[in-house]
Amino acid sequence: MCEIIKSTPSHTVCIQNHNKTLPGDLAMWFFILAELTVFAILFIAFAVTKQLKPELFEAGQATLHPLAGLVNTLALIASSYFVVLAVNAQKTGLTKKTQVHFIIAILVACIYIVSKSWEYLALFELGIGLSTSTFYTLYFLITAFHFMHVLLGMVILLLVVFKLKQVDSDKHATLNTVESSASYWHMVDLVWIMLFPLIYVI
Amino acid sequence: MTKSSPCLNKQTTNQQSTELQSSNKYKRSPAVLALVSLLSLTLLAVYLAESNMALNHGILPSSLLSGAGLICLVTLCTIIKGQQIVDSFMGLKSAPSLWRRLLLSYIVVIPLLIAVIYLL
C-alpha cells in the first residue's frame, strides 16, 4: 500500500502507510468497545425508565447537585488533556515528562473522586439509598459503576508511572503500554460525557 | 495513484523525520483546541439547562431554549464533545477508519437514541 506524499516531473515519492495504526494494544480496544456497550445499555435503560416514570425521575434529579456534576466533568476533561500530553511526551522519548503528566492527570482525577464521594455522602445523609426508588437504583448503579472505572483507570496510570521508571524497558512496548492506558482513560471520560447530560442536565 | 512509480524510501525517510519533528511542535495545539471546545460546550449545556430550570420555576421570565430545543442542543453538544475525544484525545483520527467509525458510531447513535426516547 503506497501513499503519495510528493510528485515531481521526474519521479513520484511515496511512502508506506505507516500512520494508520491503532494507538495501544488491540485487546484494549475490544475491551473499550465491550465497556461502551455495557454503559450504552444502562443509559438506554435509564432513558426508557424516565419516560415511564417522569415525575419520579424529575423529583430524583432535583435532589442531585448539578454543580458537582459540572466539577466532575471539568476534572475528567482536564485529566484527559494531561494524559494526551503524557502520550505526546512518550512519543518524543521524554519519559520523565510522561510520568509528570500522568501524575498530574491522577491528581486532577482526585477532584472527581472527592466531588463524587461528597455527592454520595450528601444523599446518604438524606436517607437516600440504592433501594429508595427506581431512579436512585439506576443513578447509583450507573454512577458507581463509572466511579469504579475511574478508580481502576487511576490505578492503571499509577502502575504505568512505576513501569516507566524501569530504564531498560523496551521503548516500543513502553509506548504501547502508555497508549493503551491512555485509551482506557479517555474511554472513562467519553462515558462521563454521555452520562453527565443524561443524569444531570436533561 | 498506485501506478508503478518507485518508492524512494531512503529519500523519504529524511523527509518524514523532518516532517515528524516539525509536527511534534504543533501536536499540543489540536489537544488544546479540543480541551477548550470540550470545556465551552460543557458550560453551554449546563447554562442552557439551568436557565430552562429557572424558567420552569418562574425565576426567569424567558429562556433561550426549552423542552425539545434543549434536548436537541444538549444532544448535539454531547456528540461534538464525543467526536473531539475520539479524534483528538484518543488519536483515532489517524487510526484505521474502521475503528474510528466504530467508536464514532457509539457517540452518535447512543445520544441520538436517548434524544429520540425523550422526544417521543
Side-chain angles (χ1 to χ4, degrees):
Chain A
M1 185 95 174
C2 219
E3 186 179 290
I4 297 170
I5 58 166
K6 195 173 183 179
S7 286
T8 63
S10 56
H11 61 270
T12 306
V13 179
C14 59
I15 56 164
Q16 278 196 318
N17 195 356
H18 291 298
N19 290 332
K20 292 274 180 186
T21 53
L22 201 58
D25 202 273
L26 182 67
M28 179 55 85
W29 287 98
F30 280 110
F31 179 67
I32 287 171
L33 286 181
E35 293 282 10
L36 286 175
T37 308
V38 173
F39 275 106
I41 293 165
L42 290 171
F43 292 163
I44 290 162
F46 185 93
V48 170
T49 318
K50 186 180 177 180
Q51 283 306 91
L52 295 173
K53 299 174 179 179
E55 290 88 10
L56 181 78
F57 273 62
E58 274 168 30
Q61 280 178 309
T63 61
L64 302 181
H65 301 274
L67 189 64
L70 178 64
V71 169
N72 292 339
T73 311
L74 300 182
L76 285 180
I77 290 170
S79 177
S80 262
Y81 173 70
F82 284 107
V83 168
V84 172
L85 295 187
V87 173
N88 287 347
Q90 189 60 31
K91 280 179 185 169
T92 49
L94 301 168
T95 307
K96 203 84 185 162
K97 217 171 176 179
T98 306
Q99 288 175 303
V100 171
H101 286 311
F102 266 160
I103 290 167
I104 296 171
I106 294 166
L107 291 174
V108 176
C110 285
I111 298 171
Y112 166 90
I113 298 294
V114 172
S115 170
K116 199 78 213 147
S117 304
W118 173 80
E119 266 190 278
Y120 286 150
L121 285 173
L123 288 173
F124 292 149
E125 278 173 10
L126 290 171
I128 294 166
L130 195 68
S131 56
T132 305
S133 71
T134 317
F135 169 78
Y136 291 109
T137 305
L138 283 168
Y139 167 77
F140 281 114
L141 186 71
I142 295 171
T143 57
F145 191 43
H146 180 265
F147 186 85
M148 283 189 283
H149 278 77
V150 176
L151 284 177
L152 179 63
M154 289 168 76
V155 171
I156 290 171
L157 293 185
L158 202 60
L159 288 174
V160 174
V161 169
F162 285 117
K163 187 186 161 68
L164 289 171
K165 282 189 176 174
Q166 296 168 354
V167 185
D168 56 342
S169 58
D170 176 24
K171 291 263 189 239
H172 178 72
T174 309
L175 178 62
N176 201 42
T177 309
V178 168
E179 285 182 335
S180 296
S181 56
S183 300
Y184 177 84
W185 189 253
H186 295 315
M187 182 273 291
V188 170
D189 191 20
L190 193 62
V191 168
W192 183 263
I193 290 295
M194 289 187 273
L195 188 156
F196 173 64
L198 178 72
I199 292 179
Y200 292 88
V201 180
I202 52 175
Chain B
M1 185 152 154
T2 53
K3 65 180 180 180
S4 57
S5 54
C7 280
L8 304 175
N9 288 325
K10 281 186 181 176
Q11 285 183 20
T12 55
T13 308
N14 291 333
Q15 191 181 345
Q16 267 182 279
S17 61
T18 316
E19 282 175 2
L20 278 172
Q21 279 170 6
S22 58
S23 70
N24 276 336
K25 291 177 188 173
Y26 303 104
K27 266 185 178 176
R28 191 176 286 204
S29 58
V32 171
L33 283 175
L35 176 73
V36 171
S37 65
L38 284 166
L39 297 178
S40 310
L41 289 168
T42 303
L43 292 172
L44 174 71
V46 172
Y47 167 74
L48 289 171
E50 287 297 305
S51 64
N52 187 49
M53 200 178 284
L55 171 74
N56 291 340
H57 288 89
I59 299 166
L60 277 179
S62 65
S63 173
L64 287 173
L65 284 169
S66 62
L70 176 72
I71 291 171
C72 289
L73 199 74
V74 170
T75 304
L76 184 68
C77 286
T78 307
I79 291 171
I80 296 169
K81 282 158 73 181
Q83 182 265 329
Q84 290 287 324
I85 291 174
V86 168
D87 282 343
S88 302
F89 282 9
M90 285 179 156
L92 289 186
K93 205 168 188 176
S94 55
S97 56
L98 172 74
W99 281 96
R100 182 173 177 260
R101 281 181 202 158
L102 210 55
L103 262 287
L104 285 177
S105 68
Y106 270 84
I107 56 110
V108 173
V109 171
I110 299 165
L112 276 181
L113 199 60
I114 291 166
V116 168
I117 292 168
Y118 281 169
L119 291 171
L120 283 176

